[in-house]
Amino acid sequence: MIDNACDWGVTTLLIFSENVGTLVYYTHMFPLLISLFLGLYVFLNNPKRHVNRVLFFVTLMFSIWVYFDLILWASPTPESVIFFWSLIVPVEMYIYLGALYLIYLFSTDQKDASLTTKILASLFVLPILLFAHTDLNVMGLSPDCDIGAHEGPLISYMYIAELVIIAIAIFVTARGYRRLTSDDSKKKLLYIGVATIIFLLFFSAGNLTLLFEMGPFYEQYKLFGMPIFAAVVAYTIVRYQAFRIKTVVTELLVAALWILLFSVILIQDMANARPIIGVTLIIFAILGFQLSLSVRREVQQRVQIEKLAEDLEKANRRLKVLDQMKSEFVSIASHQLRSPLTSIRGYSSMLLEGSFGKLVPKAKEAVERIAESSRFMALSVEDYLNVSRIESGRMKYEVSDFNLKEMAERIVDDVRPTAIKKGLLLTFKSSALSGRGVVQGDIGKTQQIIHNLLDNAIKYTQKGSITVAVFDNKTKKKVYVEITDTGVGMTSEMIHDVFEKFVRARNANKVNVTGTGLGLYVARQMAEGMKGSICASSAGEGKGSTFTLVLPMVS
Amino acid sequence: MEYIREHGTAFFYVALLLMTLVSGIATYYTIYVQKDYHVFTVDDFDDEGNLIINIYDR
């Protein structure tokens, strides 16, 4: 045993020594930093994903390996050479096993391996763990300081095991590529698989140079696989969102420039420039961090907005389905209500007409109320059915030509007794009609609209008059039915809302409590279904209203 | 046993970690405490650099 086998100088942080050439630092520090950055970046972005953890493990083991290797280059004592040489062996085995695990996860679309597979794979490392402390691992310190240690049979075993693992990795990649169904997953596997295999091949090729005693110069190439691996992984992150990472370009750019600047510091010939580069490095680190942070924030916001839009679309689709279900429910329920209502109305009418004998006045009054209520209920049911038909697109229009002026006049005559009974003056007037008032539309539905508008006018007018005017506009090819009353009137806001579903004018309840808020909605939908329209105007509350039905004129 | 079956993978990882730690500690003990390592001399090798002594027989 000796204390100092070779004439090595003092080291800083175990790795910085004047005995180590600049090239060694370049070949080691660059892959070490890239590896650490890549692993940490992927891991911190999505630490819960298994595949991210595995990549982090591989890069961490690789970084430890590189650090240990630098220690071996700069080691000042024989103990540290033997110790770290022995430790580097299991670390190297873990790099290979981790890389194989990474490929496996990509080959199964991130489905984890079974425990049995993991135990079988760990058998590769078992002999190394058992005999790492013995002289089967490192036989002893070589008298040649450049060679360092003399490797035992356990290290030869490791070299062979590594080649076997590479062969398994190639097999797993090929098998996974054949089995995967999605193109995206196939491409991810191809890129990650090939990059990992290249990385391992570089490593093993470096080991072989030692085996054939080609000298330490060629061994430096073994770490070159890591930058290639990192570049391909970065590409798959950007191109295929591998490891589920959304932002990377800015971070990679900042990291690459930072690593480049840091590497320049290591060149010993540039001792004078080091302070300047050091300051630049610090400034760049701060600014780069801020830049990455702002880009990340923007990307997160964009992702959030995309998610919200997606949620909104889903909610919208669900609402449409619910709305359709509601319409169907209303339709079914209304049909069920209509049949008993017909009986009630029929029998109450027969009772009032005396078909079952004369009724005493009190009974007649009660039956009259039944008849009136059932009439209103039938109208409401009809409104619900109409809404249901309109919303489900099942409303049918039987379009034909008819005289709107004559129809309006007839309806006015029909409802006049009701108006007179309420003490209102109902008048009809028509200006000279160039097209004689013939329009195109559904006769039944037009009647329903005019009836509805006129009923409303009577309901909401306590005193005064109602005027129905029919006129046309030959230029616009339209015929107008204008119903003007001196009733409760509306504010401009109420005019805007009154055609909406279930909306009633604020003051409507004062004069009529039985409305459903569907009449005007149905009327407008029907008018529009016949290529016409309905509009309303009013000078304000208490100043009466005007409702105008417009239908296309037949020229 | 049921618990071990359910958490088999976690046990496996912990076992592997422990084995690695024990292996590392054993290496440290052998080299730094027992100072049980060989330092070869030039006489241990032939002209072509092959080891001519068998360290395992010592």
Side-chain angles (χ1 to χ4, degrees):
Chain A
M1 284 184 290
I2 53 168
D3 287 336
N4 202 339
C6 302
D7 187 23
W8 279 306
V10 182
T11 56
T12 317
L13 295 171
L14 293 172
I15 58 168
F16 294 109
S17 162
E18 284 185 1
N19 295 318
V20 183
T22 313
L23 176 71
V24 175
Y25 285 118
Y26 236 118
T27 55
H28 283 65
M29 291 306 279
F30 186 59
L32 185 144
L33 290 171
I34 282 188
S35 169
L36 258 188
F37 170 77
L38 178 76
L40 276 172
Y41 180 76
V42 169
F43 177 70
L44 293 175
N45 260 285
N46 207 338
K48 285 182 183 166
R49 266 171 66 84
H50 198 52
V51 72
N52 294 30
R53 290 177 189 173
V54 175
L55 181 78
F56 176 60
F57 174 78
V58 174
T59 54
L60 185 69
M61 286 298 119
F62 177 81
S63 305
I64 292 172
W65 191 98
V66 175
Y67 186 71
F68 282 1
D69 200 46
L70 272 177
I71 292 173
L72 292 179
W73 276 92
S75 273
T77 61
E79 283 96 345
S80 53
V81 174
I82 302 277
F83 178 66
F84 285 104
W85 206 296
S86 302
L87 280 195
I88 213 167
V89 177
V91 172
E92 189 168 322
M93 208 65 224
Y94 280 133
I95 296 174
Y96 278 72
L97 288 176
L100 180 63
Y101 193 14
L102 186 72
I103 292 179
Y104 180 88
L105 287 174
F106 273 95
S107 76
T108 55
D109 230 352
Q110 333 286 285
K111 200 176 151 223
D112 200 5
S114 69
L115 183 58
T116 318
T117 313
K118 285 177 187 172
I119 292 171
L120 283 176
S122 73
L123 291 179
F124 279 110
V125 79
L126 204 61
I128 291 170
L129 294 181
L130 288 175
F131 302 110
H133 66 290
T134 66
D135 40 22
L136 288 171
N137 189 4
V138 179
M139 290 167 78
L141 200 68
S142 169
D144 183 346
C145 290
D146 282 340
I147 293 171
H150 214 77
E151 296 181 335
L154 196 67
I155 295 179
S156 302
Y157 156 78
M158 182 188 73
Y159 291 155
I160 295 164
E162 285 172 359
L163 292 174
V164 174
I165 291 174
I166 292 174
I168 297 173
I170 294 169
F171 169 73
V172 170
T173 308
R175 190 189 60 176
Y177 191 80
R178 224 177 33 249
R179 284 187 184 172
L180 286 172
T181 47
S182 138
D183 270 0
D184 217 40
S185 303
K186 276 188 174 193
K187 280 178 185 164
K188 269 190 251 182
L189 168 66
L190 194 67
Y191 280 110
I192 299 288
V194 171
T196 311
I197 291 163
I198 288 174
F199 162 61
L200 297 181
L201 279 173
F202 261 98
F203 218 92
S204 284
N207 288 338
L208 290 178
T209 63
L210 286 178
L211 211 62
F212 293 111
E213 294 176 6
M214 289 166 75
F217 178 77
Y218 292 103
E219 195 209 347
Q220 303 309 306
Y221 286 106
K222 73 192 286 181
L223 305 179
F224 276 30
M226 177 43 83
I228 298 170
F229 175 72
V232 177
V233 169
Y235 176 75
T236 54
I237 290 172
V238 177
R239 182 74 178 78
Y240 299 107
Q241 267 85 47
F243 305 97
R244 299 253 171 96
I245 296 169
K246 299 280 181 192
T247 63
V248 76
V249 181
T250 320
E251 279 97 337
L252 278 183
L253 184 70
V254 170
L257 288 173
W258 196 89
I259 291 168
L260 196 70
L261 274 175
F262 187 79
S263 313
V264 174
I265 276 192
L266 299 175
I267 301 174
Q268 289 183 343
D269 300 342
M270 294 180 68
N272 295 336
R274 273 186 193 159
I276 301 167
I277 298 169
V279 172
T280 316
L281 199 66
I282 294 165
I283 294 171
F284 186 76
I286 297 166
L287 292 179
F289 180 70
Q290 288 300 323
L291 176 70
S292 300
L293 219 57
S294 64
V295 171
R296 178 168 286 267
R297 237 178 265 135
E298 274 184 34
V299 171
Q300 273 170 350
Q301 279 170 352
R302 196 195 69 206
V303 170
Q304 236 169 351
I305 290 168
E306 276 173 5
K307 194 179 174 308
L308 282 174
E310 204 177 294
D311 289 349
L312 204 65
E313 207 182 310
K314 271 186 201 162
N316 205 20
R317 275 202 297 270
R318 175 93 186 117
L319 277 176
K320 275 181 185 168
V321 172
L322 284 175
D323 202 42
Q324 201 180 347
M325 282 163 72
K326 180 212 70 190
S327 294
E328 280 168 15
F329 168 73
V330 169
S331 172
I332 292 164
S334 306
H335 274 294
Q336 297 294 327
L337 285 171
R338 210 152 60 160
S339 309
L341 269 174
T342 311
S343 300
I344 295 168
R345 289 184 73 189
Y347 280 110
S348 58
S349 173
M350 285 162 77
L351 278 168
L352 286 172
E353 284 165 4
S355 304
F356 304 107
K358 201 170 174 6
L359 294 174
V360 293
K362 273 196 170 178
K364 194 179 176 188
E365 198 183 317
V367 176
E368 271 174 352
R369 281 191 185 173
I370 292 169
E372 181 56 27
S373 296
S374 57
R375 190 185 72 84
F376 168 72
M377 202 167 170
L379 286 173
S380 300
V381 167
E382 197 53 41
D383 277 345
Y384 291 133
L385 274 172
N386 281 330
V387 170
S388 164
R389 284 186 202 117
I390 288 164
E391 290 187 347
S392 62
R394 284 185 284 112
M395 183 67 98
K396 298 270 188 302
Y397 296 93
E398 287 171 17
V399 179
S400 61
D401 296 350
F402 62 93
N403 194 308
L404 186 61
K405 182 198 145 202
E406 285 172 8
M407 179 191 279
E409 198 167 8
R410 201 171 51 247
I411 295 170
V412 167
D413 288 341
D414 285 349
V415 300
R416 185 165 282 121
T418 318
I420 291 168
K421 205 171 161 187
K422 210 177 169 187
L424 301 170
L425 177 65
L426 176 60
T427 51
F428 176 83
K429 58 182 182 183
S430 69
S431 55
L433 294 168
S434 46
R436 301 185 322 280
V438 178
V439 294
Q440 202 171 50
D442 184 306
I443 297 173
K445 291 188 175 57
T446 311
Q447 268 178 343
Q448 202 177 326
I449 294 169
I450 298 172
H451 253 297
N452 188 300
L453 295 177
L454 213 45
D455 278 347
N456 275 351
I458 293 168
K459 271 185 214 164
Y460 298 114
T461 306
Q462 295 300 80
K463 58 178 183 176
S465 63
I466 297 163
T467 308
V468 178
V470 181
F471 56 92
D472 64 4
N473 185 325
K474 205 175 175 184
T475 325
K476 291 182 179 171
K477 291 189 174 176
K478 305 273 185 202
V479 180
Y480 303 80
V481 180
E482 193 179 79
I483 298 162
T484 309
D485 62 52
T486 55
V488 293
M490 294 176 288
T491 61
S492 54
E493 283 170 13
M494 285 151 67
I495 291 169
H496 184 260
D497 293 338
V498 85
F499 290 103
E500 296 296 321
K501 248 190 301 186
F502 302 111
V503 171
R504 299 185 68 207
R506 263 203 311 274
N507 49 6
N509 274 333
K510 290 178 192 165
V511 287
N512 171 34
V513 291
T514 54
T516 58
L518 289 171
L520 285 174
Y521 169 76
V522 171
R524 173 173 267 189
Q525 295 297 321
M526 283 181 173
E528 285 173 358
M530 295 186 286
K531 295 191 175 96
S533 64
I534 293 182
C535 58
S537 62
S538 173
E541 277 190 85
K543 292 176 181 172
S545 318
T546 299
F547 284 85
T548 311
L549 167 69
V550 187
L551 285 176
M553 176 199 282
V554 175
S555 48
Chain B
M1 274 314 281
E2 188 63 29
Y3 185 83
I4 292 171
R5 252 197 296 278
E6 273 178 31
H7 299 85
T9 309
F11 269 99
F12 166 73
Y13 284 133
V14 171
L16 209 58
L17 180 71
L18 283 177
M19 279 175 73
T20 311
L21 282 176
V22 169
S23 172
I25 291 164
T27 310
Y28 180 85
Y29 185 80
T30 310
I31 293 163
Y32 282 97
V33 181
Q34 291 191 318
K35 301 212 180 272
D36 182 13
Y37 58 87
H38 309 284
V39 178
F40 296 112
T41 60
V42 182
D43 299 335
D44 296 330
F45 297 89
D46 62 17
D47 293 341
E48 290 172 354
N50 299 315
L51 202 61
I52 51 172
I53 58 152
N54 188 348
I55 62 160
Y56 305 117
D57 282 348
R58 291 180 325 132

